[in-house]
Amino acid sequence: MVNTPRKRLVIGNWKMHGDTAFNSELLAGLRTGIQSVAQCDVAVCVPFPYLYQVRSLLEGSGVTWGGQDVSEHEKGAYTGEVAAAMLADFNCRWVLVGHSERRGYHGESDATVAAKAAAALAAGLTPVVCVGETLQEQEAGQTHAIIERQLAPVLALGADAVSRTVIAYEPVWAIGTGRTATPEQAQEVHALIRGRLDAAGTPQVRILYGGSVKASNAASLFAMADIDGALVGGAALVASEFLSIAAA
Ligand code: PEP
């Protein structure tokens, strides 16, 4: 099988930041600066209330957008939840599922994360499935076992589904801490994930690295064979910094 190169992808995760004035300025910066970043897909995942604003300001810019979470249910009596079809209604292309802050603070299980990925796919969205070990798990030498465990129910969705996902490896100890995995540490886990994706018959799935990615460390991470881009938190809130990461 001949594999075509995987196009790079950089996604900003705004987390629970922003307001309409701040967003306007950030989005204007992205709209202007994106012209110089042709070889990379660029997207932002934003808080739900701002999807309308983000669509209005990014439409036709080349920057795509998405949500940070989605319900595993299609519709119904699920107060406070947001359905995948609602995200699709705002022309979202992406949705994060299983971010460590969802797994950690909201008790989302591996099975729930896979169910959310399936719901996103059913609505035509690309789920960005986040996996990653905690510091304690890393120190106990459990990194590979944790990643395998988190991936298993997603891989069980089948090759057709998996081929329409993106995987993000985000070691929890590197998120928002300023402590980035070394390129070699990240590559080692990406290679494990790549092996599982190859075995599942889905070699084209992109694997992003996330955890304190900045303009200053992006190029060395992207030089690794199995790192296809980044999921960026804090640095995605500054247009020039975020675009520099995409340019790397
Ligand atoms: C994230 O929120 O997914 C993330 C990687 O955050 P940060 O870049 O701030 O570590």
Side-chain angles (χ1 to χ4, degrees):
M1 184 173 24
V2 181
N3 292 333
T4 47
R6 295 176 294 272
K7 192 173 182 191
R8 302 283 173 155
L9 169 63
V10 171
I11 300 181
N13 172 17
W14 288 6
K15 310 198 192 210
M16 200 169 71
H17 293 292
D19 57 43
T20 49
F22 175 88
N23 303 346
S24 282
E25 209 169 303
L26 176 54
L27 295 166
L30 294 185
R31 230 194 135 92
T32 312
I34 190 68
Q35 323 291 350
S36 52
V37 188
Q39 284 100 334
C40 179
D41 287 331
V42 177
V44 288
C45 287
V46 307
F48 297 134
Y50 299 126
L51 282 172
Y52 183 82
Q53 181 192 23
V54 167
R55 177 175 66 175
S56 307
L57 296 180
L58 287 184
E59 221 152 33
S61 68
V63 181
T64 53
W65 57 92
Q68 299 173 5
D69 184 33
V70 67
S71 177
E72 68 192 280
H73 305 289
E74 194 186 338
K75 61 175 151 183
Y78 300 103
T79 303
E81 294 202 33
V82 171
M86 296 173 184
L87 297 179
D89 203 16
F90 283 92
N91 306 111
C92 286
R93 173 152 176 216
W94 318 92
V95 64
L96 307 182
V97 296
H99 191 281
S100 61
E101 287 150 18
R102 300 292 319 171
R103 291 179 189 263
Y105 303 148
H106 301 274
E108 289 188 10
S109 68
D110 301 327
T112 300
V113 173
K116 289 184 172 203
L121 288 166
L125 305 172
T126 300
V128 179
V129 181
C130 304
V131 297
E133 81 286 6
T134 63
L135 181 61
Q136 203 182 16
E137 290 161 345
Q138 190 219 30
E139 287 175 348
Q142 295 170 340
T143 299
H144 285 207
I146 295 295
I147 302 302
E148 304 251 26
R149 194 204 72 207
Q150 293 175 339
L151 274 182
V154 177
L155 296 177
L157 296 175
D160 175 58
V162 176
S163 69
R164 293 182 284 129
T165 69
V166 168
I167 307 293
Y169 169 56
E170 298 204 307
V172 180
W173 48 268
I175 297 181
T177 58
R179 211 181 133 194
T180 321
T182 64
E184 293 73 22
Q185 267 176 320
Q187 167 58 27
E188 194 210 316
V189 179
H190 279 238
L192 167 81
I193 298 170
R194 176 64 59 213
R196 293 297 169 269
L197 291 170
D198 284 350
T202 57
Q204 291 308 112
V205 171
R206 290 179 283 191
I207 311 173
L208 310 183
Y209 169 77
S212 299
V213 176
K214 307 182 262 296
S216 58
N217 59 23
S220 58
L221 288 160
F222 297 163
M224 296 289 122
D226 295 304
I227 300 184
D228 303 315
L231 180 55
V232 183
L237 298 172
V238 181
S240 58
E241 180 78 9
F242 183 55
L243 289 167
S244 296
I245 292 170

